[in-house]
Amino acid sequence: MAKILISPSKYLQGAGEMKKIGTYASNCGKKALVLISKGGYKRIGKMIEDSFAESTCEVVFDYFNGECCNSEIDRLVNIVKENQCDLVIGIGGGKIFDTAKAVAYYAGTPVFICPTIASTDAPCSALSVVYTEEGIFEKYLFLPANPNLVLMDTDIITKSPVRLTVAGMGDALATYFEARACKRSGATSCAGGKTTEAAMALAKLCFDTLMEEGVKAKIALEAGVCTPAVEKVIEANTLLSGIGFESAGLAGAHAIHNGFTVLEECHHMYHGEKVAFGTLTQLVLENVPEEELEDIILWCIEVGLPVTLAELGAGNVTDEQLMEVAKTACAENDTLHNMPFEVTPETVFAAIKAADAYGKYYLGEE
């Protein structure tokens, strides 16, 4: 099997880029469906409309219903066809990106992804994570191509809640450790091939950037400013993690995240927050050296990522519920089986419990 590296056709990151979205769209289509939340439209709808007013591309807006599920994808595909749109643009957060990518795939159009937050590595990927209408993980939809454009307006992202960028760091934290596991096991990546050295280098750069710049970026964002550290973390959360996870592979952390979607107690937590705890659980499964585990837990605590079940909202769940999490994480079609050793619901359950205990220990709760 060949080694593969895939990436979006174009990645743009900088201040004020959203003001040019109409111009970029006119280079790709004549009529665009813009998928955005009601809140997102209130914040930046006028900016987008003004940009399209000077463009040769028409625009149709539609509000996202809140879940990347089959019924929402079908609804939007019909809107694209009824309005004869030849471009789909997703503006907002992770589930909007995944929905926009799926809609463009089924409708046969190009797709632009324009994050207003840096909370996941979803923007750059040829992948949509599909959930049930109730928000429970259902499947990965692997797409034949990456987005035609990923646009990161740092002015907009800097104004988003700091917790969202921190959650993005949690998602990006998993990239190197999952890539490392996939390389050791020889697993097939999301891109459909073996891990390239380039993907490993990007995954390692992603990790190093988080360790060196993450705390600085969080403090700067809390002060409401975009600094070089913030720019680097936005790139790590989005581009480095996006190419790294897709071309190197997913393993334990994301499968354990998927397991936690069965707990209603965790539904209020962001994707990257659950992935961060999934990363700690994966490291326990791997029995990494104490120093490595300690470094990651202390970094998570410093930036504000959850290191215990209680911080995930699951402090009072029963062992029976945690076993359901473990069983879901071990689903036959999920990525936990990319680990370089056999994994069972029993070993995942034990790792979750141990990760929680380690988190409590370093928080001084035990």
Side-chain angles (χ1 to χ4, degrees), residues 108-155:
T109 72
V111 63
F112 288 3
I113 300 298
C114 306
T116 55
I117 54 179
S119 64
T120 76
D121 53 18
C124 292
S125 72
L127 170 71
S128 290
V129 185
V130 181
Y131 297 83
T132 66
E133 291 182 7
E134 294 73 36
I136 298 171
F137 172 76
E138 186 171 301
K139 66 178 179 180
Y140 290 119
L141 174 64
F142 293 99
L143 306 167
N146 298 71
N148 302 78
L149 172 70
V150 175
L151 184 152
M152 306 292 291
D153 188 322
T154 52
D155 281 344

Short mmCIF file of all heavy atoms in Angstrom, two decimals, residues 108-155:
data_model
loop_
_atom_site.label_atom_id
_atom_site.label_comp_id
_atom_site.label_asym_id
_atom_site.label_seq_id
_atom_site.Cartn_x
_atom_site.Cartn_y
_atom_site.Cartn_z
N GLY A 108 -22.27 17.58 -5.57
CA GLY A 108 -21.30 17.65 -6.65
C GLY A 108 -20.74 19.03 -6.89
O GLY A 108 -20.47 19.42 -8.03
N THR A 109 -20.52 19.82 -5.80
CA THR A 109 -19.99 21.17 -5.93
C THR A 109 -18.67 21.30 -5.17
O THR A 109 -18.37 20.49 -4.30
CB THR A 109 -20.96 22.22 -5.36
OG1 THR A 109 -20.96 22.13 -3.93
CG2 THR A 109 -22.38 22.03 -5.88
N PRO A 110 -17.88 22.35 -5.48
CA PRO A 110 -16.74 22.68 -4.62
C PRO A 110 -17.23 23.14 -3.25
O PRO A 110 -18.40 23.48 -3.08
CB PRO A 110 -16.06 23.84 -5.37
CG PRO A 110 -16.63 23.84 -6.74
CD PRO A 110 -18.00 23.25 -6.63
N VAL A 111 -16.30 23.18 -2.28
CA VAL A 111 -16.67 23.62 -0.93
C VAL A 111 -15.57 24.50 -0.35
O VAL A 111 -14.39 24.21 -0.49
CB VAL A 111 -16.97 22.42 0.00
CG1 VAL A 111 -15.73 21.53 0.20
CG2 VAL A 111 -17.50 22.88 1.35
N PHE A 112 -15.98 25.61 0.25
CA PHE A 112 -15.10 26.49 1.02
C PHE A 112 -15.42 26.31 2.50
O PHE A 112 -16.60 26.23 2.87
CB PHE A 112 -15.31 27.97 0.67
CG PHE A 112 -14.82 28.40 -0.67
CD1 PHE A 112 -14.27 27.51 -1.58
CD2 PHE A 112 -14.93 29.74 -1.05
CE1 PHE A 112 -13.83 27.94 -2.84
CE2 PHE A 112 -14.49 30.18 -2.29
CZ PHE A 112 -13.94 29.28 -3.19
N ILE A 113 -14.39 26.28 3.33
CA ILE A 113 -14.57 26.17 4.78
C ILE A 113 -13.96 27.42 5.42
O ILE A 113 -12.78 27.70 5.25
CB ILE A 113 -13.89 24.90 5.32
CG1 ILE A 113 -14.49 23.66 4.66
CG2 ILE A 113 -14.00 24.84 6.84
CD1 ILE A 113 -15.97 23.45 4.92
N CYS A 114 -14.81 28.15 6.17
CA CYS A 114 -14.39 29.42 6.76
C CYS A 114 -14.66 29.40 8.27
O CYS A 114 -15.74 29.81 8.72
CB CYS A 114 -15.13 30.58 6.12
SG CYS A 114 -15.00 30.64 4.31
N PRO A 115 -13.73 28.91 9.07
CA PRO A 115 -13.95 28.84 10.51
C PRO A 115 -14.01 30.23 11.15
O PRO A 115 -13.23 31.13 10.80
CB PRO A 115 -12.74 28.08 11.03
CG PRO A 115 -12.21 27.34 9.82
CD PRO A 115 -12.48 28.26 8.67
N THR A 116 -14.94 30.40 12.08
CA THR A 116 -14.96 31.61 12.91
C THR A 116 -14.35 31.30 14.27
O THR A 116 -14.27 32.18 15.13
CB THR A 116 -16.40 32.11 13.10
OG1 THR A 116 -17.21 31.04 13.64
CG2 THR A 116 -16.99 32.56 11.77
N ILE A 117 -13.94 30.05 14.45
CA ILE A 117 -13.29 29.59 15.68
C ILE A 117 -12.16 28.64 15.27
O ILE A 117 -12.13 28.17 14.14
CB ILE A 117 -14.28 28.87 16.62
CG1 ILE A 117 -15.00 27.73 15.87
CG2 ILE A 117 -15.29 29.84 17.19
CD1 ILE A 117 -15.97 26.94 16.71
N ALA A 118 -11.25 28.38 16.20
CA ALA A 118 -10.15 27.44 15.93
C ALA A 118 -10.27 26.27 16.90
O ALA A 118 -9.33 25.93 17.60
CB ALA A 118 -8.80 28.13 16.06
N SER A 119 -11.45 25.64 16.90
CA SER A 119 -11.75 24.66 17.95
C SER A 119 -11.55 23.21 17.54
O SER A 119 -11.61 22.32 18.38
CB SER A 119 -13.19 24.84 18.42
OG SER A 119 -14.10 24.55 17.38
N THR A 120 -11.33 22.94 16.23
CA THR A 120 -11.10 21.56 15.80
C THR A 120 -10.15 21.55 14.61
O THR A 120 -9.85 22.59 14.02
CB THR A 120 -12.40 20.83 15.36
OG1 THR A 120 -12.78 21.30 14.06
CG2 THR A 120 -13.54 21.03 16.34
N ASP A 121 -9.73 20.32 14.24
CA ASP A 121 -8.91 20.17 13.03
C ASP A 121 -9.75 19.73 11.84
O ASP A 121 -9.23 19.27 10.83
CB ASP A 121 -7.75 19.18 13.27
CG ASP A 121 -8.22 17.84 13.82
OD1 ASP A 121 -9.43 17.54 13.71
OD2 ASP A 121 -7.39 17.10 14.37
N ALA A 122 -11.07 19.90 11.95
CA ALA A 122 -11.98 19.47 10.89
C ALA A 122 -11.85 20.27 9.59
O ALA A 122 -12.09 19.70 8.52
CB ALA A 122 -13.43 19.55 11.38
N PRO A 123 -11.50 21.57 9.61
CA PRO A 123 -11.61 22.38 8.38
C PRO A 123 -10.87 21.83 7.18
O PRO A 123 -11.37 21.88 6.06
CB PRO A 123 -11.03 23.73 8.80
CG PRO A 123 -11.30 23.82 10.26
CD PRO A 123 -11.13 22.42 10.77
N CYS A 124 -9.65 21.30 7.37
CA CYS A 124 -8.81 20.93 6.22
C CYS A 124 -9.08 19.54 5.68
O CYS A 124 -8.58 19.19 4.61
CB CYS A 124 -7.34 21.02 6.62
SG CYS A 124 -6.78 22.71 6.95
N SER A 125 -9.86 18.74 6.37
CA SER A 125 -9.92 17.31 6.06
C SER A 125 -10.95 16.95 4.99
O SER A 125 -11.93 17.66 4.78
CB SER A 125 -10.23 16.52 7.33
OG SER A 125 -11.58 16.72 7.72
N ALA A 126 -10.72 15.79 4.37
CA ALA A 126 -11.69 15.19 3.44
C ALA A 126 -12.52 14.17 4.22
O ALA A 126 -12.57 12.99 3.88
CB ALA A 126 -10.97 14.53 2.27
N LEU A 127 -13.15 14.66 5.27
CA LEU A 127 -13.85 13.78 6.21
C LEU A 127 -14.98 14.55 6.85
O LEU A 127 -14.83 15.72 7.22
CB LEU A 127 -12.86 13.32 7.29
CG LEU A 127 -13.41 12.59 8.51
CD1 LEU A 127 -13.90 11.20 8.13
CD2 LEU A 127 -12.34 12.50 9.59
N SER A 128 -16.13 13.91 6.98
CA SER A 128 -17.23 14.46 7.77
C SER A 128 -17.60 13.44 8.85
O SER A 128 -17.72 12.25 8.56
CB SER A 128 -18.46 14.74 6.90
OG SER A 128 -18.24 15.82 6.02
N VAL A 129 -17.73 13.92 10.07
CA VAL A 129 -18.18 13.05 11.16
C VAL A 129 -19.69 13.21 11.28
O VAL A 129 -20.18 14.32 11.55
CB VAL A 129 -17.49 13.41 12.49
CG1 VAL A 129 -17.89 12.41 13.58
CG2 VAL A 129 -15.98 13.44 12.32
N VAL A 130 -20.40 12.13 11.04
CA VAL A 130 -21.87 12.17 11.03
C VAL A 130 -22.40 11.60 12.34
O VAL A 130 -21.95 10.54 12.80
CB VAL A 130 -22.44 11.39 9.83
CG1 VAL A 130 -23.96 11.45 9.80
CG2 VAL A 130 -21.87 11.95 8.52
N TYR A 131 -23.35 12.33 12.94
CA TYR A 131 -23.96 11.94 14.20
C TYR A 131 -25.44 11.63 13.96
O TYR A 131 -26.01 11.95 12.91
CB TYR A 131 -23.83 13.06 15.24
CG TYR A 131 -22.41 13.40 15.61
CD1 TYR A 131 -21.63 14.26 14.83
CD2 TYR A 131 -21.82 12.85 16.74
CE1 TYR A 131 -20.33 14.56 15.16
CE2 TYR A 131 -20.51 13.15 17.09
CZ TYR A 131 -19.77 14.01 16.31
OH TYR A 131 -18.46 14.31 16.64
N THR A 132 -26.07 11.03 14.97
CA THR A 132 -27.53 10.92 14.94
C THR A 132 -28.12 12.28 15.26
O THR A 132 -27.41 13.21 15.67
CB THR A 132 -28.03 9.90 15.98
OG1 THR A 132 -27.73 10.42 17.30
CG2 THR A 132 -27.36 8.55 15.80
N GLU A 133 -29.42 12.43 15.10
CA GLU A 133 -30.07 13.70 15.43
C GLU A 133 -29.93 14.03 16.91
O GLU A 133 -30.04 15.19 17.30
CB GLU A 133 -31.56 13.66 15.03
CG GLU A 133 -31.78 13.64 13.52
CD GLU A 133 -33.25 13.66 13.13
OE1 GLU A 133 -34.10 13.83 14.02
OE2 GLU A 133 -33.54 13.53 11.93
N GLU A 134 -29.66 13.01 17.73
CA GLU A 134 -29.50 13.22 19.17
C GLU A 134 -28.05 13.52 19.55
O GLU A 134 -27.73 13.71 20.73
CB GLU A 134 -29.97 11.97 19.94
CG GLU A 134 -31.46 11.69 19.85
CD GLU A 134 -31.89 11.16 18.49
OE1 GLU A 134 -31.10 10.40 17.87
OE2 GLU A 134 -33.00 11.52 18.03
N GLY A 135 -27.14 13.56 18.56
CA GLY A 135 -25.76 13.91 18.83
C GLY A 135 -24.85 12.76 19.19
O GLY A 135 -23.75 12.95 19.70
N ILE A 136 -25.28 11.52 18.91
CA ILE A 136 -24.45 10.34 19.17
C ILE A 136 -23.69 9.98 17.90
O ILE A 136 -24.26 9.96 16.81
CB ILE A 136 -25.32 9.16 19.66
CG1 ILE A 136 -26.01 9.53 20.98
CG2 ILE A 136 -24.48 7.89 19.83
CD1 ILE A 136 -27.05 8.53 21.43
N PHE A 137 -22.41 9.70 18.04
CA PHE A 137 -21.57 9.36 16.89
C PHE A 137 -22.19 8.22 16.08
O PHE A 137 -22.59 7.20 16.64
CB PHE A 137 -20.17 8.96 17.35
CG PHE A 137 -19.30 8.41 16.24
CD1 PHE A 137 -18.73 9.25 15.31
CD2 PHE A 137 -19.07 7.05 16.14
CE1 PHE A 137 -17.94 8.75 14.29
CE2 PHE A 137 -18.28 6.53 15.12
CZ PHE A 137 -17.71 7.39 14.20
N GLU A 138 -22.24 8.42 14.75
CA GLU A 138 -22.80 7.38 13.87
C GLU A 138 -21.76 6.80 12.93
O GLU A 138 -21.58 5.59 12.85
CB GLU A 138 -23.98 7.95 13.08
CG GLU A 138 -24.71 6.91 12.24
CD GLU A 138 -25.99 7.46 11.63
OE1 GLU A 138 -26.88 7.90 12.41
OE2 GLU A 138 -26.11 7.43 10.42
N LYS A 139 -21.03 7.68 12.18
CA LYS A 139 -20.06 7.16 11.22
C LYS A 139 -19.12 8.26 10.75
O LYS A 139 -19.38 9.46 10.92
CB LYS A 139 -20.78 6.58 10.00
CG LYS A 139 -21.53 7.64 9.17
CD LYS A 139 -22.19 7.03 7.94
CE LYS A 139 -22.94 8.10 7.15
NZ LYS A 139 -23.58 7.55 5.94
N TYR A 140 -18.01 7.83 10.16
CA TYR A 140 -17.13 8.73 9.42
C TYR A 140 -17.52 8.65 7.95
O TYR A 140 -17.63 7.55 7.40
CB TYR A 140 -15.67 8.32 9.58
CG TYR A 140 -15.08 8.55 10.95
CD1 TYR A 140 -14.60 7.49 11.71
CD2 TYR A 140 -14.99 9.82 11.49
CE1 TYR A 140 -14.05 7.69 12.97
CE2 TYR A 140 -14.44 10.04 12.73
CZ TYR A 140 -13.97 8.97 13.47
OH TYR A 140 -13.43 9.18 14.71
N LEU A 141 -17.73 9.80 7.32
CA LEU A 141 -17.97 9.86 5.88
C LEU A 141 -16.68 10.33 5.22
O LEU A 141 -16.30 11.50 5.34
CB LEU A 141 -19.12 10.82 5.57
CG LEU A 141 -19.40 11.09 4.09
CD1 LEU A 141 -19.85 9.81 3.38
CD2 LEU A 141 -20.45 12.19 3.93
N PHE A 142 -15.97 9.41 4.58
CA PHE A 142 -14.72 9.75 3.91
C PHE A 142 -15.03 10.30 2.51
O PHE A 142 -15.76 9.69 1.75
CB PHE A 142 -13.80 8.53 3.83
CG PHE A 142 -13.31 8.08 5.18
CD1 PHE A 142 -13.92 7.03 5.84
CD2 PHE A 142 -12.26 8.73 5.79
CE1 PHE A 142 -13.48 6.62 7.09
CE2 PHE A 142 -11.80 8.33 7.04
CZ PHE A 142 -12.41 7.27 7.69
N LEU A 143 -14.48 11.47 2.23
CA LEU A 143 -14.79 12.19 1.00
C LEU A 143 -13.64 12.06 0.00
O LEU A 143 -12.49 11.86 0.39
CB LEU A 143 -15.04 13.67 1.33
CG LEU A 143 -16.10 13.90 2.41
CD1 LEU A 143 -16.08 15.34 2.90
CD2 LEU A 143 -17.48 13.53 1.90
N PRO A 144 -13.94 12.18 -1.29
CA PRO A 144 -12.90 11.97 -2.31
C PRO A 144 -11.91 13.11 -2.43
O PRO A 144 -10.86 12.95 -3.07
CB PRO A 144 -13.71 11.81 -3.60
CG PRO A 144 -14.99 12.53 -3.34
CD PRO A 144 -15.28 12.36 -1.89
N ALA A 145 -12.21 14.27 -1.84
CA ALA A 145 -11.29 15.42 -1.96
C ALA A 145 -11.39 16.30 -0.73
O ALA A 145 -12.42 16.36 -0.06
CB ALA A 145 -11.63 16.23 -3.21
N ASN A 146 -10.31 17.02 -0.47
CA ASN A 146 -10.28 18.01 0.61
C ASN A 146 -10.95 19.29 0.14
O ASN A 146 -11.18 19.49 -1.05
CB ASN A 146 -8.84 18.29 1.00
CG ASN A 146 -8.12 17.05 1.53
OD1 ASN A 146 -7.82 16.15 0.77
ND2 ASN A 146 -7.85 17.03 2.80
N PRO A 147 -11.26 20.21 1.08
CA PRO A 147 -11.89 21.48 0.68
C PRO A 147 -11.07 22.23 -0.36
O PRO A 147 -9.84 22.16 -0.38
CB PRO A 147 -11.97 22.25 2.00
CG PRO A 147 -12.04 21.19 3.04
CD PRO A 147 -11.15 20.08 2.54
N ASN A 148 -11.79 22.97 -1.19
CA ASN A 148 -11.11 23.78 -2.21
C ASN A 148 -10.43 25.00 -1.61
O ASN A 148 -9.46 25.50 -2.16
CB ASN A 148 -12.14 24.22 -3.27
CG ASN A 148 -12.80 23.03 -3.92
OD1 ASN A 148 -13.71 22.42 -3.35
ND2 ASN A 148 -12.36 22.66 -5.12
N LEU A 149 -10.97 25.47 -0.50
CA LEU A 149 -10.37 26.61 0.20
C LEU A 149 -10.69 26.51 1.69
O LEU A 149 -11.82 26.22 2.07
CB LEU A 149 -10.93 27.94 -0.35
CG LEU A 149 -10.53 29.21 0.42
CD1 LEU A 149 -9.05 29.52 0.23
CD2 LEU A 149 -11.37 30.41 -0.04
N VAL A 150 -9.68 26.73 2.53
CA VAL A 150 -9.88 26.91 3.97
C VAL A 150 -9.41 28.32 4.31
O VAL A 150 -8.26 28.68 4.00
CB VAL A 150 -9.10 25.87 4.80
CG1 VAL A 150 -9.22 26.16 6.28
CG2 VAL A 150 -9.60 24.46 4.50
N LEU A 151 -10.29 29.11 4.88
CA LEU A 151 -10.01 30.52 5.14
C LEU A 151 -10.12 30.79 6.64
O LEU A 151 -11.18 30.61 7.23
CB LEU A 151 -10.99 31.40 4.36
CG LEU A 151 -10.81 32.91 4.41
CD1 LEU A 151 -11.36 33.55 3.13
CD2 LEU A 151 -11.53 33.53 5.61
N MET A 152 -9.02 31.22 7.24
CA MET A 152 -8.97 31.51 8.68
C MET A 152 -8.77 33.02 8.87
O MET A 152 -7.67 33.53 8.62
CB MET A 152 -7.82 30.76 9.35
CG MET A 152 -7.82 29.25 9.11
SD MET A 152 -9.17 28.39 9.91
CE MET A 152 -8.74 28.57 11.63
N ASP A 153 -9.83 33.71 9.29
CA ASP A 153 -9.73 35.15 9.57
C ASP A 153 -9.35 35.32 11.04
O ASP A 153 -10.17 35.10 11.94
CB ASP A 153 -11.06 35.85 9.27
CG ASP A 153 -10.95 37.36 9.35
OD1 ASP A 153 -10.23 37.87 10.24
OD2 ASP A 153 -11.61 38.06 8.55
N THR A 154 -8.10 35.70 11.29
CA THR A 154 -7.61 35.76 12.67
C THR A 154 -8.28 36.86 13.48
O THR A 154 -8.36 36.77 14.71
CB THR A 154 -6.08 35.92 12.70
OG1 THR A 154 -5.71 37.04 11.87
CG2 THR A 154 -5.40 34.67 12.16
N ASP A 155 -8.78 37.90 12.82
CA ASP A 155 -9.54 38.94 13.54
C ASP A 155 -10.79 38.33 14.18
O ASP A 155 -11.10 38.60 15.35
CB ASP A 155 -9.97 40.07 12.59
CG ASP A 155 -8.86 41.05 12.28
OD1 ASP A 155 -7.85 41.04 13.02
OD2 ASP A 155 -8.99 41.80 11.31
#
